[in-house]
Amino acid sequence: SLPLDNPQRLKLSGTYNLENSQLAFKSPALELSEIQGKLNFSQNGIETSRISAKTLNSIFEFHLLNQNELEISSPNFDYESAAALVEPQLTQLIHGNAPVMIKYNLQHQEIQFQSNLVGVQINAPAPLAKSESSTVSNLAVKLNLAPEEHRTLNFNYANQLAAHASFDRDFQLTNLYIGLGTNNLTPKINSSEESSPITIQAYLEQTHLQEWASFFKQLKPAESVNNN
């Protein structure tokens, strides 16, 4: 018999088996295929589960640790396929495969992305350039989406390029800091001065502005180039 007169005593557990399932999204246009695994649940909601799926020419494993934490990993993430999804022109910039780890915390509305980029080449001016795919160049991205606070994005690439951005609740940019070089990875705060909406700090002797100008022109979407 079910203890309907005392819901606190009610216990429920079950498993939903996924075998070669598919899931499609319209925006962005993304399809998950070969979905395999078991989705476990109880009277408290979704429980620890592991599911694998294929998308962006890569195999992913989704590990639900608890109702607040999700880990997504891929041993051989295809960066070129991901770049093509965001903007086709970006495929000129990056190609190759590397392991990635994505962590999502529902309670704190926080996403963390990490990769050592071993197996990836980046065609860009220094310090973004990565000509040797075997080189370790750690990439870390942290995005905070907490609705009750200002949203922030922190980016660090190989301890050579960093970005710190703040957004309001409508994702309008309120502050952006970009630092090039190991001595410019964090904003230089001066309490006596009003901070600028956009700040760029770079070591000019090692930053060739003409190369960067040509680089951004090359990445310009084809429609914009034709219009000009």
Side-chain angles (χ1 to χ4, degrees):
S1 62
L2 294 176
L4 299 180
D5 59 334
N6 190 356
Q8 289 77 15
R9 293 175 52 204
L10 179 63
K11 300 294 182 182
L12 175 67
S13 65
T15 298
Y16 186 78
N17 292 312
L18 297 165
E19 296 183 3
N20 203 26
S21 301
Q22 293 183 330
L23 180 64
F25 301 90
K26 290 185 177 181
S27 182
L30 188 66
E31 179 178 309
L32 274 69
S33 62
E34 302 178 23
I35 303 175
Q36 310 276 353
K38 295 181 178 181
L39 191 62
N40 303 311
F41 60 90
S42 70
Q43 73 278 3
N44 297 318
I46 301 297
E47 299 292 340
T48 300
S49 305
R50 286 184 181 272
I51 296 172
S52 64
K54 183 176 181 180
T55 187
L56 297 175
N57 199 32
S58 310
I59 299 295
F60 286 88
E61 181 174 282
F62 299 80
H63 184 194
L64 185 64
L65 303 176
N66 50 56
Q67 295 182 26
N68 282 315
E69 296 177 287
L70 171 66
E71 290 185 352
I72 305 173
S73 61
S74 175
N76 209 24
F77 178 59
D78 187 343
Y79 275 84
E80 188 171 352
S81 294
L85 177 67
V86 176
E87 169 56 57
Q89 293 291 107
L90 291 178
T91 57
Q92 304 175 42
L93 167 64
I94 187 168
H95 57 89
N97 301 68
V100 301
M101 170 64 76
I102 304 169
K103 297 181 179 181
Y104 175 62
N105 187 296
L106 177 63
Q107 182 178 1
H108 298 134
Q109 290 289 286
E110 186 175 275
I111 301 173
Q112 296 184 54
F113 177 98
Q114 293 179 323
S115 177
N116 60 17
L117 297 182
V118 173
V120 172
Q121 289 181 296
I122 300 176
N123 303 316
L128 191 60
K130 185 175 183 292
S131 58
E132 297 294 333
S133 62
S134 60
T135 304
V136 175
S137 298
N138 291 318
L139 172 64
V141 182
K142 183 177 180 180
L143 177 63
N144 189 300
L145 299 172
E148 301 302 325
E149 306 172 8
H150 68 285
R151 288 149 180 187
T152 59
L153 172 68
N154 295 308
F155 173 98
N156 186 298
Y157 169 70
N159 284 331
Q160 290 292 330
L161 174 64
H164 306 271
S166 297
F167 306 86
D168 62 19
R169 294 184 180 182
D170 299 320
F171 280 98
Q172 296 295 315
L173 183 67
T174 58
N175 189 273
L176 173 63
Y177 172 85
I178 298 176
L180 295 170
T182 56
N183 294 326
N184 297 314
L185 297 180
T186 56
K188 308 298 188 295
I189 300 175
N190 189 336
S191 58
S192 62
E193 297 180 4
E194 184 177 352
S195 61
S196 301
I198 299 179
T199 303
I200 300 176
Q201 291 188 329
Y203 184 39
L204 292 180
E205 290 186 13
Q206 296 181 352
T207 305
H208 304 287
L209 299 182
Q210 186 60 45
E211 289 184 8
W212 278 97
S214 300
F215 169 71
F216 285 121
K217 185 177 181 180
Q218 179 184 0
L219 289 181
K220 203 170 185 181
E223 293 183 1
S224 299
V225 173
N226 294 334
N227 291 337
N228 292 337

